[in-house]
Amino acid sequence: MCGIIGYVGGRPCQELIVQGLERLEYRGYDSAGFALVGDPAEGFSVVRAVGNLSKLRAASDDLGVASAATTGLGHTRWATHGRVTEANAHPHLSADGRVAVVMNGIIENYAELRHQLQDSGVVFMSETDTEVLPHLIAQAYQGDLVEAVRAIVPKIAGHYAFVVSHLDEPGRLVGTRYECPLVVGIGEGEAFLSSAIPAFLHQTRDIVNLEDGDIAVLDTGGVTVLGATGGPVSRVTERVDWDEDAAEKAGYDTFMLKEIHEQPSALWDTIGDRLRPDGSVYIDELGLDVRALSRIERVHIVACGTSYHAGLIGRYLMEDWARIPVSVEVASEYRYRTCLAGPGDLVIGITQSGETADTLAAMRVARERGAHVVALTNIMGSQATRDADGAIYTRAGLEIGVAATKTHTAQVMALALLALKIGRLKGALNPSGAAELAEDLREIPDLIEGYLTSSAAHNVAQVVQRYRDREFFLFLGRHVGVPVCFEGALKLKEISYIPTEAYPAGEMKHGPIALLEEGSPVVVVAPDGHVFDKIVSNIQEVRARGARVIAVATEGNREIEQHADDVLWTPKTTPLLSALTTVIPLQLFAYEMATARGLNVDQPRNLAKTVTVE
């Protein structure tokens, strides 16, 4: 979690740093701060504030001559170690004030290091794990900041990316990473270091992705990347072709609403040139040839949160289309269980950022057991793609809203493509069946686009007004509707802070029905399909207890109107692919509910976009 930005160049950098932090605020917004390197004799000019970036701007209005500094580093924090206080905000300084550090990640052995430093006389000013770094670097420093960083890295355990400045080397920044993202932006006579490209996308599009153990040295002479052993290493400079508007709201009130409406294009791009009309699928990055893929015996999916729900949907697709057993595991639990994956198995780690710590760890466990591991991610060059044997890239574009929307549906589409590919290779699908499914998949983006501009989508806000004051929602579904319920309930929790429960409808009588009372709202995912009659029976059971039913149903189904108090209509598609259409009104339902309650949907409390800590 958290966001890092650093700058070295010829321009006054205070505003560059603050603007970079504003573009990283989705990564963490408990507190923020920056340090400018002006006159070394005057020390660092440090500003820190609790809250969002407007608080930091207000605190930095009157820096005087320090604002002309041309080297600086900044940070936006999502708390892991230590409370949300100004003292715990980054940057952190060494005891002598000569070293400043910002960090993303966790130092797992910080308690041991802290005790050692305290025994040597160091007084700590914060509760954070990060503060051990400036003290260690100050002790190791003998006139060369790079060597000081290299000396302390073997002492620290964990996953991290950090950037450091020393007053004795005022025109230089040094950064390194291990299992956390850090990227260099190269401009004309200037350079940036950040945890994510959007921080400097408005200034340069030329980037260098750092590898684990790399040490990036930014100074007025340019950028040098050193390997773990000390010598220079060659890293490719890439040109980012993102439209800068992708980091803005493009006329929408929020990033989340913009990204909901970007789902048709995200799905089209994910399909791209991979899917042929005859049902043939080409995914070049899988790392498995046709023969090896056809021999896959089992599939294991590991993921967290919304990505886990995409994996659950993927299980239905693969088991139905490819006739192959699939297990879906919460990555944070999978990594600590006995791993039964092995040669002949395919393990798919789903992580929109490619940096989710628990998913990375689960993938590594499976790979050690000999399984072929594939990363399903939205970010090329992310840690997941480096740890895996192959990759499936969603092409959803930059997603800034903390609550995932377009990356979720793009993940489901990518899993559908893989299921179709395996199904054809294993002979579970005949040519005509594969061609029919390909046509169904290619219809989905247009169906969603039509829905988002329809009266049905606008009607969601009207339905929300009837339930905006309710303090609990139960979500029920059957078959592929179950993971859709999980995702809809999660969205409502994430951005409106309303307690929810989501269950397979058949499990309702095994406990959840006790939660119902007169007027309790129950959201039921009830598209057309072979379990529709079963879900109608469940609706009758909850209505008998006085509950009010909000049904998510297929447009044109008049029967559901007899059983529901309100209906959120969705486009008609095949039952399995309804997971892609029925989730859209639930995204809008959560969005409209949070908006009606006056909440910040892009920055829900206690959450951040990328979970890079366990």
Side-chain angles (χ1 to χ4, degrees):
M1 229 119 349
C2 309
I4 291 171
I5 179 69
Y7 173 84
V8 174
R11 291 189 281 171
C13 67
Q14 178 182 337
E15 184 60 20
L16 293 173
I17 295 291
V18 175
Q19 286 182 4
L21 292 177
E22 288 172 341
R23 288 168 168 82
L24 294 175
E25 195 170 10
Y26 68 95
R27 293 181 66 93
Y29 41 86
D30 290 337
S31 58
F34 62 81
L36 304 179
V37 188
D39 183 352
E42 299 294 327
F44 290 103
S45 296
V46 178
V47 180
R48 299 183 292 190
V50 171
N52 60 31
L53 266 295
S54 63
K55 303 293 179 61
L56 184 68
R57 276 197 175 277
S60 60
D61 279 346
D62 188 23
L63 278 180
V65 296
S67 62
T70 58
T71 301
L73 65 170
H75 186 270
T76 181
R77 180 176 186 246
W78 189 85
T80 54
H81 289 75
R83 295 165 296 169
V84 180
T85 65
E86 186 175 321
N88 287 333
H90 299 212
H92 291 290
L93 304 185
S94 58
D96 61 5
R98 307 293 291 175
V99 179
V101 173
V102 292
M103 187 194 82
N104 179 16
I106 285 180
I107 305 299
E108 293 176 352
N109 62 335
Y110 84 99
E112 175 188 347
L113 294 171
R114 186 181 179 105
H115 291 317
Q116 293 173 1
L117 288 163
Q118 287 173 327
D119 289 344
S120 68
V122 171
V123 176
F124 279 76
M125 306 302 293
S126 79
E127 304 165 306
T128 70
D129 55 338
T130 300
E131 195 184 347
V132 301
L133 294 178
H135 298 308
L136 289 171
I137 292 168
Q139 289 185 352
Y141 187 75
Q142 296 181 359
D144 189 326
L145 184 57
V146 173
E147 289 306 313
V149 169
R150 195 188 311 283
I152 69 118
V153 164
K155 299 180 181 180
I156 58 179
H159 42 278
Y160 53 80
F162 66 84
V163 178
V164 57
S165 176
H166 198 294
L167 290 177
D168 289 0
E169 302 177 38
R172 169 172 286 189
L173 292 177
V174 176
T176 190
R177 57 156 285 173
Y178 180 70
E179 296 184 0
C180 281
L182 196 62
V183 61
V184 178
I186 301 175
E188 292 290 335
E190 61 187 9
F192 300 81
L193 260 177
S194 181
S195 48
I197 295 169
F200 53 72
L201 185 62
H202 58 303
Q203 300 295 332
T204 181
R205 296 177 181 275
D206 293 325
I207 66 138
V208 175
N209 279 302
L210 300 179
E211 303 281 348
D212 280 349
D214 284 354
I215 297 177
V217 185
L218 281 61
D219 55 33
T220 53
V223 176
T224 303
V225 180
L226 306 174
T229 58
V233 294
S234 177
R235 297 286 179 250
V236 176
T237 300
E238 303 174 50
R239 183 80 173 173
V240 176
D241 59 3
W242 294 349
D243 186 340
E244 191 172 334
D245 287 343
E248 303 299 335
K249 296 176 185 174
Y252 290 94
D253 291 337
T254 63
F255 285 114
M256 182 178 178
L257 186 60
K258 169 178 174 280
E259 289 154 7
I260 288 173
H261 282 264
E262 288 174 340
Q263 287 178 105
S265 61
L267 292 172
W268 267 125
D269 289 345
T270 297
I271 292 171
D273 57 355
R274 293 165 167 165
L275 180 61
R276 303 291 192 271
D278 66 354
S280 300
V281 177
Y282 298 88
I283 305 174
D284 295 335
E285 309 94 345
L286 271 178
L288 280 172
D289 59 26
V290 170
R291 185 176 180 183
L293 190 57
S294 66
R295 291 180 173 178
I296 290 296
E297 299 172 358
R298 293 181 301 175
V299 175
H300 308 254
I301 297 175
V302 291
C304 301
T306 288
S307 295
Y308 171 72
H309 300 155
L312 291 172
I313 297 167
R315 177 172 65 188
Y316 284 93
L317 297 170
M318 289 187 189
E319 290 183 343
D320 191 89
W321 296 354
R323 303 296 177 179
I324 186 171
V326 180
S327 66
V328 187
E329 307 282 353
V330 174
S332 57
E333 292 299 316
Y334 183 87
R335 62 185 295 191
Y336 294 115
R337 290 172 46 202
T338 300
C339 179
L340 298 180
D345 292 347
L346 174 63
V347 174
I348 305 170
I350 310 178
T351 159
Q352 66 86 19
S353 67
E355 306 288 347
T356 306
D358 287 316
T359 304
L360 294 176
M363 291 165 61
R364 290 171 189 144
V365 168
R367 199 176 186 200
E368 289 170 0
R369 293 276 301 174
H372 186 88
V373 176
V374 168
L376 198 169
T377 181
N378 197 44
I379 306 298
M380 295 184 69
S382 59
Q383 189 64 44
T385 65
R386 302 176 193 187
D387 287 350
D389 300 299
I392 308 172
Y393 293 108
T394 53
R395 298 164 178 168
L398 185 63
E399 186 177 69
I400 289 178
V402 169
T405 51
K406 64 178 181 176
T407 54
H408 169 71
T409 49
Q411 287 168 349
V412 175
M413 181 60 80
L415 289 168
L417 294 176
L418 182 60
L420 181 54
K421 183 177 182 69
I422 297 174
R424 286 210 65 187
L425 290 174
K426 285 187 167 291
L429 290 172
N430 60 37
S432 62
E436 185 176 337
L437 287 173
E439 183 178 354
D440 292 338
L441 285 171
R442 296 182 72 86
E443 286 180 350
I444 292 292
D446 288 342
L447 290 175
I448 292 175
E449 185 169 35
Y451 168 79
L452 287 169
T453 57
S454 71
S455 58
H458 295 304
N459 183 56
V460 174
Q462 299 173 23
V463 175
V464 162
Q465 290 302 318
R466 295 193 277 276
Y467 299 92
R468 59 180 294 180
D469 297 325
R470 301 305 174 94
E471 296 303 321
F472 169 77
F473 283 76
L474 178 65
F475 285 69
L476 298 175
R478 280 185 177 267
H479 200 248
V480 77
V482 174
V484 174
C485 285
F486 292 164
E487 178 60 13
L490 178 61
K491 285 291 160 284
L492 198 59
K493 290 175 189 173
E494 284 180 316
I495 62 174
S496 68
Y497 317 143
I498 297 174
T500 66
E501 291 282 358
Y503 276 88
E507 288 292 294
M508 179 181 54
K509 295 188 292 294
H510 297 277
I513 200 168
L515 296 169
L516 300 181
E517 56 188 15
E518 190 71 31
S520 295
V522 179
V523 179
V524 182
V525 177
D528 292 354
H530 68 289
V531 294
F532 178 76
D533 290 342
K534 297 294 185 183
I535 202 73
V536 167
S537 296
N538 298 130
I539 289 174
Q540 294 299 339
E541 290 171 336
V542 301
R543 294 191 77 189
R545 273 75 182 175
R548 292 180 60 84
V549 173
I550 306 164
V552 181
T554 304
E555 60 185 359
N557 185 335
R558 301 273 73 92
E559 181 182 352
I560 196 67
E561 293 178 308
Q562 304 171 30
H563 307 294
D565 297 280
D566 293 282
V567 181
L568 305 179
W569 299 109
T570 62
K572 185 176 182 61
T573 185
T574 59
L576 277 177
L577 295 182
S578 68
L580 283 162
T581 56
T582 53
V583 75
I584 309 298
L586 295 182
Q587 294 171 350
L588 289 171
F589 189 85
Y591 176 85
E592 296 292 351
M593 185 67 74
T595 302
R597 291 180 167 221
L599 300 172
N600 186 336
V601 298
D602 286 335
Q603 296 178 351
R605 68 189 182 200
N606 302 330
L607 298 176
K609 185 65 178 171
T610 306
V611 184
T612 58
V613 296
E614 182 180 355

